[in-house]
Amino acid sequence: MDKVKEILAAALKLFVEYGFHGTPTSKIAQEAGVANGTLFHYFKTKEDLVIALYIDTKTRLAQHLIDNALPENTLKARLKNRYSQVMYWALEHSTEFRFIQQFHTSPFLSRLSAEEMYRQMKPDLDLIEEGIATKIIQPRPVDFIFSLFFNHINGLHQYLIHANLSTTEQNKLIEDTFDLLWGMII
Amino acid sequence: MDKVKEILAAALKLFVEYGFHGTPTSKIAQEAGVANGTLFHYFKTKEDLVIALYIDTKTRLAQHLIDNALPENTLKARLKNRYSQVMYWALEHSTEFRFIQQFHTSPFLSRLSAEEMYRQMKPDLDLIEEGIATKIIQPRPVDFIFSLFFNHINGLHQYLIHANLSTTEQNKLIEDTFDLLWGMII
Amino acid sequence: MDKVKEILAAALKLFVEYGFHGTPTSKIAQEAGVANGTLFHYFKTKEDLVIALYIDTKTRLAQHLIDNALPENTLKARLKNRYSQVMYWALEHSTEFRFIQQFHTSPFLSRLSAEEMYRQMKPDLDLIEEGIATKIIQPRPVDFIFSLFFNHINGLHQYLIHANLSTTEQNKLIEDTFDLLWGMII
Amino acid sequence: MDKVKEILAAALKLFVEYGFHGTPTSKIAQEAGVANGTLFHYFKTKEDLVIALYIDTKTRLAQHLIDNALPENTLKARLKNRYSQVMYWALEHSTEFRFIQQFHTSPFLSRLSAEEMYRQMKPDLDLIEEGIATKIIQPRPVDFIFSLFFNHINGLHQYLIHANLSTTEQNKLIEDTFDLLWGMII
DNA sequence: CATGAATGAGATTTCATTCAT
DNA sequence: GATGAATGAAATCTCATTCAT
């Protein structure tokens, strides 16, 4: 129980620092403070661990978005809130966010079941579809708009962790960039 | 013929398919049609090969941009041209482009010298700075604007290789998205 | 049973026969009846194995000298005893003794810490110093006298393993050469 | 011609520093300032180079002894002269001397033909035999006495290169130790 | 003679995984 | 559940040697 968490935490840290294949399972076990065999007691293979870590991380991000949702609002407010909350979470969990990015450009991505991928994207896709259906957002392919959002978040995150802005400046920039993005899709 | 080129081509293909560490040097040599030792005759270590391949790939992209530059034009036209040409090149060299992305999210990125990184970004940074100096572009941090462009390109590329658009539609979308981006920064 | 012991024994045998670099670790593992990886489970590198084997061998020689010491005797008797016991051990453990000689003329010698080297020589140096302090041995540098003894033993061993003498003749020669050596230093 | 000498000199230096197997032929060629293939143009195999270097080195020592011989003297004077001249040469050619020692404890020794070995030892064996025949030296096995001399030289050399004595002190010690040795065998 | 690119067998070392305890 | 010694396949890299020029 606790050990599983320790292993996931150790794997996260080391994967981001050394890459998936650059991190031996023995190092993960050592960093987690468990025996080598214990890792394989909980995860059948190393690949299973990678996938499990990705799902765990994305689940935590999703939970953060659920916990901070604004359900009773306009579409724009709800979308802006999601955008901002992803950014807040990404800035507070930089390692987790970099792991997600690393995973996305790795060959492991294809090991993720289509259902799992869809499950994760669904809330955002639903929101965009709702916007198109209600003619607020221009009728473009849903995954194109999703892609724009997603990579915009990547770009902003990348900039923010390098630039040393105050929290106020950060929040301002997050709001501003959302407005720019919003301008692109309405 | 040129064994170095054969090795680089083989490495590019396999790295994108299986990842850096998922690709044994023996497979690279085999795919390149050279002996195992030959690879190490030209690249001291596997890491050296990865770095060399990245620099080679980026150099070829840079050369494409030089070959298709529009020097005698307005800043907007030159920036739009760079944006479009990167997209054209990325679509024609999808494997190369995915390798670049993979490299960027890998721990190898930190092995790249600061000079080399700056050398690669300089043309774009210069263009943005010129735009800010001549008050065409709003005065924001240069690397922020660069980051917006870069990740926008990523997002569009990702969308275009999945969506099956005609060339005309593609070109239209590239033009449109540049205009949206341009709207964000002026 | 004890895999470490098996590995050390196999390494000793093969190093003396084929030299350090002439002996692949795979051969050592095979001879020891363990898997290739097991060797590296116990010794981080091949060099570590060489050093460990040297220290182990010297420790066994030292133990033999402790077990056969004559503590309550004159200085001459104690020195003669050490000299003879080294010779007896060397003749009974020819492979071990040749390994020690091989190690001494190899570049590995410099990897041995100064403390370890001093630790090994200390009992002999102490005995010689005692002899000089009590004016039994002439006041010459301690390490010079040590060097004389050490190389004398080498010379005698080399001769004895080639010449086929009876045990009685051997013992006589060991006694005689000690007396000659003793004559040199008093 | 010149290149052969360069190769031998480079090999000597590197073998003593890194050992036979620890020295790649490529490093030898590089240090000698010749191409990799050139080494194999002159020496069919690496082993051939090792043997050739040993014979060359011993030949140069032998030549030094011939050049400094005292033929018209007593046996004791001639033996003392050989002993001293070996020491002088060893001190001036420390690298060469260490190479000889390294070779002696290496498995390459057995690749040396018996004739070559005998040829090298002959002058000394003849001298000792003459001493025994004329009843100056006690009737012990010739190779035993040779072994005593040889290892005595080793021991003294080892001491002298570590102790920093003046030339006068060195020469005195060489004379003294010969006298001690002489006392052992008459 | 001399070169050095090219080779490929083989060396050291790593590491995911197993399994007896 | 938890361990960690043991495994052996496979990875990276080395290097003596060859050969076309």
Side-chain angles (χ1 to χ4, degrees), chain B residues 90-140:
Chain B
L91 289 169
E92 253 184 77
H93 302 84
S94 241
T95 309
E96 279 86 343
F97 196 70
R98 282 173 64 195
F99 169 73
I100 291 172
Q101 291 178 310
Q102 204 171 319
F103 186 90
H104 284 164
T105 55
S106 83
F108 287 106
L109 180 60
S110 59
R111 306 299 169 93
L112 211 62
S113 71
E115 297 87 47
E116 180 59 31
M117 281 190 68
Y118 180 68
R119 206 176 61 71
Q120 291 180 3
M121 292 162 62
K122 194 165 184 306
D124 291 307
L125 297 182
D126 284 354
L127 215 51
I128 296 168
E129 267 171 5
E130 185 191 331
I132 294 171
T134 55
K135 313 231 169 169
I136 297 172
I137 297 175
Q138 282 183 41
R140 292 188 189 265

Side-chain angles (χ1 to χ4, degrees), chain D:
Chain D
M1 172 126 286
D2 229 10
K3 307 222 174 195
V4 171
K5 278 189 185 173
E6 297 280 3
I7 292 168
L8 288 172
L12 175 70
K13 183 188 156 187
L14 294 170
F15 283 160
V16 169
E17 193 166 356
Y18 303 108
F20 298 121
H21 292 270
T23 306
T25 53
S26 58
K27 276 258 178 73
I28 298 172
Q30 194 186 343
E31 173 88 18
V34 303
N36 217 304
T38 306
L39 191 154
F40 288 90
H41 188 71
Y42 289 110
F43 304 95
K44 234 170 85 97
T45 67
K46 188 184 184 183
E47 193 173 312
D48 279 3
L49 168 61
V50 175
I51 306 285
L53 178 58
Y54 177 73
I55 293 178
D56 175 69
T57 307
K58 281 303 276 292
T59 303
R60 276 151 60 204
L61 167 54
Q63 193 54 50
H64 173 87
L65 295 181
I66 290 169
D67 293 347
N68 293 277
L70 302 174
E72 313 285 329
N73 258 282
T74 64
L75 180 91
K76 183 183 175 184
R78 280 180 285 150
L79 198 57
K80 184 175 191 168
N81 181 59
R82 274 189 88 79
Y83 176 85
S84 309
Q85 289 299 336
V86 170
M87 282 307 310
Y88 296 155
W89 187 86
L91 289 169
E92 254 185 76
H93 302 85
S94 241
T95 308
E96 280 85 343
F97 195 69
R98 283 172 64 194
F99 169 74
I100 291 172
Q101 291 178 310
Q102 205 172 315
F103 186 91
H104 284 163
T105 55
S106 83
F108 286 105
L109 181 60
S110 59
R111 307 300 168 91
L112 211 63
S113 68
E115 298 85 46
E116 179 61 30
M117 280 190 69
Y118 181 66
R119 206 177 59 74
Q120 290 179 5
M121 290 162 63
K122 192 163 186 305
D124 291 307
L125 297 182
D126 284 354
L127 215 52
I128 296 167
E129 268 171 5
E130 183 191 334
I132 294 172
T134 54
K135 314 230 168 168
I136 298 172
I137 296 176
Q138 281 184 41
R140 294 188 188 263
V142 180
D143 49 353
F144 170 57
I145 296 176
F146 179 78
S147 198
L148 283 185
F149 264 85
F150 187 77
N151 284 281
H152 214 78
I153 286 169
N154 278 349
L156 187 53
H157 177 261
Q158 195 173 306
Y159 171 69
L160 287 178
I161 58 172
H162 284 93
N164 262 3
L165 303 188
S166 70
T167 311
T168 328
E169 287 170 323
Q170 268 190 8
N171 294 352
K172 177 84 166 52
L173 199 55
I174 291 170
E175 291 222 359
D176 286 0
T177 51
F178 174 79
D179 290 339
L180 293 173
L181 249 179
W182 181 254
M184 284 175 67
I185 61 172
I186 57 170

Side-chain angles (χ1 to χ4, degrees), chain A residues 54 60 130 134 169 179:
Chain A
Y54 177 73
R60 276 151 59 204
E130 184 191 332
T134 55
E169 287 170 323
D179 291 339

Side-chain angles (χ1 to χ4, degrees), chain C residues 35-106:
Chain C
N36 219 298
T38 305
L39 192 155
F40 288 92
H41 184 71
Y42 288 108
F43 304 96
K44 244 169 83 87
T45 66
K46 189 183 184 184
E47 189 172 318
D48 278 6
L49 168 61
V50 174
I51 306 284
L53 178 57
Y54 177 73
I55 292 178
D56 176 69
T57 307
K58 282 303 274 297
T59 303
R60 276 151 58 206
L61 167 53
Q63 193 56 49
H64 172 86
L65 295 181
I66 290 168
D67 292 347
N68 294 277
L70 302 174
E72 313 283 330
N73 260 280
T74 63
L75 181 92
K76 185 183 174 185
R78 279 179 286 149
L79 198 56
K80 185 174 190 169
N81 181 60
R82 274 189 88 80
Y83 176 85
S84 312
Q85 289 300 337
V86 170
M87 282 307 310
Y88 297 155
W89 186 87
L91 288 169
E92 251 185 80
H93 301 85
S94 241
T95 308
E96 279 86 343
F97 196 69
R98 282 173 63 194
F99 169 74
I100 291 171
Q101 291 177 310
Q102 203 172 317
F103 185 91
H104 284 164
T105 55
S106 83

Side-chain angles (χ1 to χ4, degrees), chain C residues 164-172:
Chain C
N164 261 2
L165 304 188
S166 70
T167 309
T168 327
E169 286 170 323
Q170 269 191 4
N171 292 354
K172 178 81 167 53

